Amino acid sequence: MDITTFEEKLGEKGIRLSSRQLQQFEDYFHILVEWNEKMNLTAITDKEEVYLKHFYDSLSAAFFFDFNQELSVCDVGAGAGFPGIPLKICFPHIKLSICDSLKKRITFLEHLTQKLELSDVSLYHDRAETFGHRPETREAYDLVLARAVARMSVLSELCLPLAKKGGHFLAMKGAQLPEEMKDSKKAVQLLGGKVNDVFSFKLPEENSDRFIVLVDKEKATPKKYPRKPGTPNKSPLS
């Protein structure tokens, strides 16, 4: 996806980018590639692929959820900053927190947010399982995001404890999602959530399947969740 197509496709979805925002995406790409030579941030470094599979794909969350409002957003397991940083570039008013378990990725994100001059971004080096028990972050966010980092039942346990009652959890998934949804019903309910909707679309140009799952947080998450680090992955709730 070249930059012109990127801009056009987002415009079709009502997302208009200023010249500064387009420059921020350009700078993001160059910083990502530069740092990727020193540490493994992404297997995707071709410019058009980064714009399609990282930038555009991250922004697809905004096709199905309204980011044009005051929001505190938490991105769990953001890696090289996806989807949180592209969303922050497009919607600079959101208050973004990013939690990642690898210190080197947090170091990269500190450098990136400084270079892109992004404000209201908080970076946390922590496991999601322990981050969900911190008094200042538990049930503190309007929206919690995760992009394909684990199975839906596992993601629910890592993310729903962070969403405030009345808030939302949005999972960005690939083709395996329909099968995962069956296994995750009990987990979502147990953790205080209710599936609001599941949206499907094709990623342009390569036509791969994408799904966005929007979960409403209806009740407080029981205090014992998330369980200790590693347990959600080893023994998913089902």
Side-chain angles (χ1 to χ4, degrees), residues 182-193:
K182 288 178 260 177
D183 301 336
S184 66
K185 275 183 185 170
K186 185 183 169 189
V188 169
Q189 191 175 12
L190 179 66
L191 296 158

Side-chain angles (χ1 to χ4, degrees), residues 1-237:
M1 178 175 275
D2 61 34
I3 296 166
T4 306
T5 309
F6 176 69
E7 190 177 5
E8 284 172 0
K9 289 284 183 189
L10 291 177
E12 287 169 15
K13 298 291 186 180
I15 300 172
R16 309 260 187 279
L17 298 179
S18 66
S19 55
R20 179 170 188 266
Q21 288 167 316
L22 287 167
Q23 186 60 53
Q24 284 174 309
F25 278 111
E26 273 291 272
D27 294 343
Y28 193 169
F29 166 71
H30 289 295
I31 294 165
L32 177 68
V33 171
E34 179 195 339
W35 277 61
N36 204 57
E37 290 173 5
K38 298 181 277 185
M39 61 176 73
N40 181 26
L41 290 165
T42 176
I44 299 168
T45 54
D46 173 78
K47 188 170 188 176
E48 294 200 355
E49 284 204 34
V50 169
Y51 267 81
L52 175 66
K53 295 180 181 176
H54 283 330
F55 296 165
Y56 182 88
D57 192 38
S58 292
L59 294 171
S60 65
F63 305 164
F64 306 101
F65 189 88
D66 181 14
F67 282 82
N68 291 303
Q69 54 181 319
E70 291 298 316
L71 284 175
S72 55
V73 178
C74 183
D75 183 357
V76 175
F82 310 117
I85 299 293
L87 287 162
K88 176 69 178 173
I89 291 172
C90 285
F91 304 96
H93 60 276
I94 65 173
K95 289 185 171 139
L96 177 65
S97 294
I98 291 177
C99 169
D100 197 273
S101 60
L102 270 188
K103 178 62 179 160
K104 66 179 185 179
R105 289 200 289 248
I106 294 294
T107 302
F108 164 73
L109 292 170
E110 284 169 348
H111 176 79
L112 178 70
T113 52
Q114 184 186 359
K115 289 293 183 186
L116 299 184
E117 297 180 340
L118 300 175
S119 58
D120 265 338
V121 179
S122 303
L123 303 169
Y124 297 91
H125 172 225
D126 203 350
R127 292 282 299 251
E129 295 95 330
T130 47
F131 189 65
H133 284 288
R134 289 189 185 200
E136 73 274 22
T137 55
R138 185 176 180 86
E139 301 195 320
Y141 298 98
D142 299 313
L143 179 67
V144 183
L145 296 164
R147 182 173 175 250
V149 294
R151 290 180 66 82
M152 190 64 196
S153 53
V154 178
L155 279 187
S156 298
E157 184 170 355
L158 300 180
C159 295
L160 274 167
L162 294 163
K164 62 173 68 165
K165 192 176 166 184
H168 310 275
F169 159 44
L170 189 151
M172 309 178 75
K173 303 291 292 181
Q176 74 287 0
L177 187 272
E179 172 204 338
E180 291 181 19
M181 285 303 290
K182 288 178 260 177
D183 301 336
S184 66
K185 275 183 185 170
K186 185 183 169 189
V188 169
Q189 191 175 12
L190 179 66
L191 296 158
K194 182 184 179 184
V195 175
N196 176 309
D197 214 335
V198 180
F199 305 97
S200 63
F201 67 102
K202 300 270 187 192
L203 198 63
E205 298 183 4
E206 67 170 33
N207 284 323
S208 52
D209 291 321
R210 292 289 188 273
F211 293 91
I212 303 273
V213 185
L214 184 61
V215 177
D216 296 338
K217 178 74 173 281
E218 294 193 322
K219 294 179 291 191
T221 300
K223 284 189 171 60
K224 66 176 181 176
Y225 300 109
R227 291 166 293 166
K228 65 183 182 181
T231 307
N233 250 321
K234 285 183 202 144
S235 311
L237 298 168

